[in-house]
Amino acid sequence: MPAPLVPDAQLRVVGLTPTAQRRAVLALLTGRSRPLTAQQVHAELTSTVGHIGLTTVYRALHSLADAGLLHTFDLDGQRAYRHCGTARHQHLICTRCEAVIECPPEVVMSWLTELHRHTGFTPHPDRLDVRGICATCAST
Ligand SMILES: [Zn+2]
Ligand SMILES: [Zn+2]
C-alpha cells in the first residue's frame, strides 16, 4: 500500500489549490475513522488552529467532498465528512461508536451477486453503506 500523500499533494492531485483552509480541514480529518460534521470540524479547528469562519469550513468541506477526497455520511440527520482512502471501497458503519471501516468491494460483490440471483434486483455497488457493530464494539 503506498504511503498516503501529504495534504498539499492530495489537493493538487484532484485539481484543488492548497489553500490554508483546505489544508487545515484535510489535516484535521486525516486518520480519523469517524466522520465529523461541519460544526465539529469548526469547533476543533477553532480550538487548535485559531479562528476560522463556519462558512469557510463549509466551503472547504464542500470542495474537498466534490473532489472526492472526503466521503459524506448522515450522522443523526446531519451531514458528516470523512477522509477516505483512494482505493475503491464500501463503508461498514458502526452504529455504536460511529467508526467507518473501508471494506474492499470484492468482499461484498459475492453477496450482491447472490442478492441478484434471489431477487432479480440489480444493485449499483458504487456506494454501499452497511450499518452494524464493529469488531471493537462487539468485543466490549
Ligand atoms: Zn469512503
Ligand atoms: Zn464500533
Side-chain angles (χ1 to χ4, degrees):
M1 212 164 134
L5 295 168
V6 297
D8 276 21
Q10 289 188 58
L11 290 164
R12 289 211 180 84
V13 160
V14 296
L16 291 177
T17 309
T19 61
Q21 295 81 5
R22 286 172 182 161
R23 209 182 272 145
V25 168
L26 194 57
L28 182 81
L29 289 172
T30 297
R32 305 253 181 152
S33 58
R34 291 171 187 74
L36 295 183
T37 64
Q39 283 84 355
Q40 289 170 329
V41 170
H42 179 247
E44 286 206 26
L45 283 181
T46 303
S47 67
T48 54
V49 181
H51 177 75
I52 180 167
L54 182 58
T55 315
T56 309
V57 170
Y58 269 112
R59 266 206 299 269
L61 286 168
H62 286 169
S63 63
L64 294 169
D66 283 347
L69 288 175
L70 303 180
H71 282 163
T72 56
F73 298 85
D74 181 77
L75 206 71
D76 301 324
Q78 279 199 298
R79 180 171 281 216
Y81 300 82
R82 179 182 188 273
H83 178 242
C84 280
T86 48
R88 289 190 60 225
H89 58 270
Q90 305 291 1
H91 298 126
L92 308 179
I93 304 170
C94 181
T95 52
R96 201 173 291 172
C97 71
E98 294 170 349
V100 174
I101 296 116
E102 294 176 30
C103 170
E106 310 83 70
V107 177
V108 288
M109 239 8 248
S110 57
W111 171 56
L112 293 179
T113 307
E114 274 295 286
L115 182 119
H116 179 74
R117 206 167 63 78
H118 282 279
T119 64
F121 184 81
T122 306
H124 296 306
D126 46 309
R127 171 89 196 246
L128 186 82
D129 292 352
V130 181
R131 285 167 199 282
I133 303 292
C134 76
T136 311
C137 287
S139 68
T140 52

